[in-house]
Amino acid sequence: MDGLRKWLTFSKGERVAIISILAAIIVLVLVNLLRPTRVSLDETSLHNLDSLLALRQAAVEEMEQQKASQPQEVAELQPFPFNPNTMTEEEGLRMGLTDRQVRNIINYRDKGGKFYSKNDLAKLYTISEEEFEQLEPYIVLPEVARKEYAKPKTETKENQKVVEEKKPQKTIPIVDLNTADSALLTELPQIGPYTAARIVTYREKLGGYLNKEQLLEVKGMDEARYNVAEPYINIGAVAVAKIDVNRADFKTLVNHPYLNYNQVKRIFNQREKRGMIKDWSQLKALLEEEEAVNPLLEYYVKF
């Protein structure tokens, strides 16, 4: 009994330590019991989270677009009609091609290569896509089959003239800018495959063309090309795809050619803090706080 009492007897310091530990345990238990439970996210919080994620994604995409659209170094070209199968070094330099580009073309010919189509020139690694777009309208190639390049040239100029006179002239079609595919667009004068593809891509981003002049907004389309192709272009029944500015997500809005990142942020701030946008005049006033608004945007939005 005395041994048990010895083990259960504590000194004054030990009693203080035990009491302190017990008090700390009690405090921790009370804090845990009284701490407010975690609040679940309501619809407003989730909506704000979605908006923040959309803003971040749009910012990343805009940075990538800006990086991709940064001008690359291309030659200052002044092209004139030429045949790459017979072009001389002097002619190439006179058009603005670099020594390396001219030598690449001539070396290709010296090794037995022939340019059978305009796109063959685009395959040369020294010719960039932008430079090819400038050169393409001026490339002149005789319509000769590949096998005929290997044959000795026995035809006289008179025979060639007869063949050319018998060859029917190609008819240029009238194309509807809102329905033509890229293959049909290449039938137009001064419109190559790269430009045709960009016309279709821009049409999809816009939601449809309202007038011919919008072609000048397409990358690579200058006034010279436009003036040559314009007589063969038609705008049929216009039924553009409209964007609901009060319900469309951030990516859909910022991808439209007539809206930029900052303008779309203004639209989202209006929607989330002040309510829906009622009409075009309200939207125009909201966007014009920072910069001018393309008046054609009115025909591509709904409320």
Side-chain angles (χ1 to χ4, degrees):
M1 192 70 176
D2 292 338
L4 181 61
R5 182 179 301 170
K6 179 181 179 181
W7 284 104
L8 295 175
T9 303
F10 301 100
S11 65
K12 181 179 180 181
E14 290 173 335
R15 289 196 297 273
V16 171
I18 292 172
I19 292 172
S20 299
I21 292 173
L22 290 174
I25 293 173
I26 292 171
V27 170
L28 290 174
V29 171
L30 291 174
V31 169
N32 188 55
L33 291 175
L34 298 175
R35 185 177 60 182
T37 57
R38 184 178 179 182
V39 180
S40 61
L41 294 175
D42 56 14
E43 291 186 0
T44 302
S45 300
L46 291 173
H47 178 68
N48 292 336
L49 179 59
D50 289 340
S51 298
L52 289 174
L53 292 174
L55 286 170
R56 180 182 179 277
Q57 180 64 25
V60 172
E61 292 178 356
E62 183 177 8
M63 290 176 62
E64 292 177 350
Q65 291 175 0
Q66 290 176 351
K67 183 178 179 181
S69 63
Q70 288 179 350
Q72 301 178 351
E73 293 185 2
V74 296
E76 294 285 340
L77 301 182
Q78 297 178 339
F80 49 80
F82 73 101
N83 183 347
N85 288 306
T86 58
M87 183 193 75
T88 65
E89 182 176 355
E90 179 184 357
E91 290 174 337
L93 295 175
R94 192 150 51 90
M95 284 191 293
L97 295 175
T98 64
D99 291 337
R100 184 164 176 259
Q101 290 170 326
V102 174
R103 292 310 311 164
N104 186 213
I105 294 172
I106 295 177
N107 288 339
Y108 175 76
R109 294 189 334 226
D110 291 344
K111 293 178 181 179
K114 294 290 182 181
F115 296 94
Y116 299 101
S117 69
K118 295 183 178 183
N119 286 334
D120 288 341
L121 186 64
K123 296 175 183 178
L124 297 182
Y125 65 92
T126 54
I127 304 293
S128 69
E129 180 179 329
E130 289 77 9
E131 290 166 338
F132 176 71
E133 285 190 350
Q134 297 178 56
L135 295 172
E136 181 189 12
Y138 300 93
I139 299 174
V140 179
L141 290 172
E143 296 183 8
V144 181
R146 288 177 176 266
K147 61 182 181 179
E148 293 185 358
Y149 274 107
K151 294 181 179 180
K153 297 181 179 180
T154 56
E155 293 184 350
T156 64
K157 292 182 178 180
E158 289 75 13
N159 290 337
Q160 292 176 355
K161 185 176 181 181
V162 171
V163 171
E164 291 176 356
E165 289 177 351
K166 291 182 179 180
K167 184 169 57 178
Q169 295 295 323
K170 184 178 179 181
T171 303
I172 300 175
I174 304 297
V175 303
D176 187 326
L177 199 55
N178 280 320
T179 59
D181 57 18
S182 57
L184 182 57
L185 288 169
T186 57
E187 299 291 323
L188 298 175
Q190 304 292 314
I191 303 297
Y194 289 114
T195 304
R198 285 173 175 168
I199 291 173
V200 173
T201 300
Y202 194 71
R203 180 178 69 198
E204 293 171 352
K205 287 186 175 182
L206 276 175
Y209 290 101
L210 294 169
N211 56 59
K212 300 179 184 180
E213 290 75 16
Q214 286 176 289
L215 276 181
L216 292 170
E217 300 168 11
V218 177
K219 181 181 178 182
M221 177 65 73
D222 53 27
E223 290 190 7
R225 286 188 177 191
Y226 172 78
N227 291 335
V228 174
E230 188 271 335
Y232 306 98
I233 296 173
N234 181 42
I235 298 287
V238 177
V240 299
K242 295 190 175 185
I243 301 174
D244 190 330
V245 295
N246 289 305
R247 293 175 177 82
D249 57 28
F250 198 100
K251 184 176 180 180
T252 299
L253 288 170
V254 83
N255 279 339
H256 196 278
Y258 295 158
L259 288 170
N260 60 38
Y261 177 78
N262 290 329
Q263 290 175 326
V264 176
K265 281 204 304 183
R266 287 181 176 274
I267 293 174
F268 265 70
N269 287 337
Q270 170 70 27
R271 282 164 44 174
E272 294 176 358
K273 297 179 180 179
R274 301 180 183 86
M276 299 178 67
I277 301 171
K278 298 178 181 179
D279 51 33
W280 166 246
S281 60
Q282 184 183 359
L283 176 62
K284 183 181 178 183
L286 176 68
L287 300 181
E288 282 183 338
E289 292 179 15
E290 185 170 330
E291 56 188 295
V293 178
N294 191 320
L296 293 180
L297 177 63
E298 179 181 3
Y299 302 95
Y300 292 101
V301 296
K302 62 182 180 179
F303 306 92

